Amino acid sequence: MTSLLKQYSDSSNFMARVELNRRFGINPYKWTLWLFDQIQFKKDAKILELGCGNGILWKSNLQKIPEDAHILLSDFSEGMLGDAKLTLGGAAERFEYEVIDAEQIPHPDNSFDVVIANLMLYHVPDRKKAISEISRVLKSGGVLYATTFGLNYMKELSDLVSNYDKNANCSLEPVARAFGLENGEKQLSESFGDIKLVKYEDGLEVTEAEPLVNYVLSFTRVKNVISGDKIIDFEDYIANILNENGKIQVEKKSGMFIAKRPY
């Protein structure tokens, strides 16, 4: 968890990843819009987002948030919460903020109508405990919206990096094996009964080297291998591929588990 705290001490690495997907994603129905549109808000809903990052989900959907919703944004990183407030700007006062470890949610039973865990459960060391905690703080009939991706998510990109230097690893397969489209339902089923998977199809068609390089270097395990003058060489490597092929195509399969707590 220490390395994760360092990687997400603020939103700089997170935003390098968001920016690549924002600029070169091929699905016109953008991820944050799609995700938000899956959420069912009941009257006076109490909502907890675990691992809110820099608040981009809410910034992207400010005009669609029900006025009577009570929203608590949480992250294990104080720096992320600070960045969320900056991202939300004048709307920041619309939300509450709290540093929370998903394994120990400091709220009573039956506190929330909705819990959102967007691309974060695979980071939690004791997921069984975290999922149990989420179920505990949800009201009867409350809903968890948990997003993740599949085992081959962005494999073309990780292969490209490994071909440059076999010691540089940005593969997302290990986190998908932790909690992914293929195994998330089984993990959730220990605390939830009604579970549905909704898939989101997308891909990347990257036409510029710099955003891709920034994405790759957002991974600490890559930055430890590709550093100094080697960064320029790596950017040239990517630029040459783009000059030859015009673009770099990357497959992305992700989705959302919608899990209801039993009445």
Side-chain angles (χ1 to χ4, degrees):
M1 186 64 82
T2 303
S3 62
L4 197 62
L5 278 168
K6 184 177 180 181
Q7 186 172 174
Y8 292 109
S9 60
D10 59 35
S11 64
S12 55
N13 288 327
F14 174 79
M15 283 309 297
R17 299 173 195 183
V18 169
E19 189 66 7
L20 182 73
N21 286 281
R22 184 189 69 80
R23 291 189 58 193
F24 302 106
I26 61 175
N27 189 336
Y29 189 14
K30 296 305 181 185
W31 172 256
T32 52
L33 304 180
W34 175 87
L35 191 164
F36 190 89
D37 287 346
Q38 309 311 307
I39 301 170
Q40 299 293 313
F41 294 92
K42 63 191 300 184
K43 184 176 174 58
D44 295 319
K46 291 190 68 177
I47 300 152
L48 167 65
E49 183 176 13
L50 295 169
C52 70
N54 71 342
I56 191 69
L57 171 64
W58 305 96
K59 176 67 173 180
S60 301
N61 294 280
L62 281 175
Q63 304 307 315
K64 295 190 286 185
I65 301 172
E67 290 187 8
D68 61 356
H70 308 277
I71 305 165
L72 172 59
L73 302 185
S74 76
D75 204 282
F76 66 84
S77 165
E78 186 74 55
M80 278 290 199
L81 292 180
D83 284 350
K85 293 173 186 176
L86 290 174
T87 297
L88 291 164
E93 294 182 0
R94 174 74 177 74
F95 306 85
E96 295 181 11
Y97 305 85
E98 187 175 350
V99 174
I100 291 180
D101 178 348
E103 295 177 15
Q104 296 178 312
I105 302 175
H107 288 268
D109 298 357
N110 308 305
S111 291
F112 299 98
D113 298 290
V114 167
V115 173
I116 300 167
N118 180 26
L119 303 178
M120 59 77 64
L121 278 176
Y122 42 66
H123 287 313
V124 180
D126 191 342
R127 263 179 312 284
K128 183 175 182 179
K129 186 174 181 182
I131 291 167
S132 176
E133 276 287 276
I134 291 169
S135 177
R136 179 186 66 78
V137 300
L138 275 170
K139 299 176 183 178
S140 296
V143 183
L144 164 65
Y145 297 91
T147 63
T148 186
F149 41 77
L151 289 171
N152 291 321
Y153 185 84
M154 298 184 76
K155 185 177 186 297
E156 297 86 353
L157 182 51
S158 61
D159 287 348
L160 180 150
V161 175
S162 296
N163 288 339
Y164 172 77
D165 188 321
K166 60 180 175 42
N167 295 312
N169 177 18
C170 67
S171 172
L172 293 169
E173 183 177 337
V175 288
R177 288 196 180 281
F179 182 86
L181 297 182
E182 294 81 2
N183 61 20
E185 182 175 355
K186 182 178 180 181
Q187 295 181 54
L188 293 170
S189 65
E190 294 190 26
S191 296
F192 293 88
D194 183 0
I195 304 169
K196 178 174 70 173
L197 173 60
V198 185
K199 292 186 177 179
Y200 176 84
E201 300 291 339
D202 196 8
L204 299 177
E205 291 186 353
V206 183
T207 56
E208 297 177 29
E210 186 177 358
L212 190 149
V213 172
N214 290 339
Y215 171 92
V216 170
L217 294 179
S218 73
F219 293 86
T220 303
R221 60 184 183 272
V222 174
K223 206 167 188 177
N224 290 336
V225 177
I226 302 175
S227 60
D229 292 341
K230 200 168 183 180
I231 294 174
I232 298 173
D233 185 62
F234 177 64
E235 188 165 357
D236 288 342
Y237 163 75
I238 299 297
N240 288 335
I241 293 174
L242 289 171
N243 287 336
E244 286 185 21
N245 303 309
K247 60 187 175 183
I248 294 171
Q249 293 183 296
V250 182
E251 184 177 300
K252 295 170 58 187
K253 288 188 177 180
S254 51
M256 171 190 289
F257 290 102
I258 302 174
K260 292 184 180 180
R261 184 187 170 194
Y263 285 95

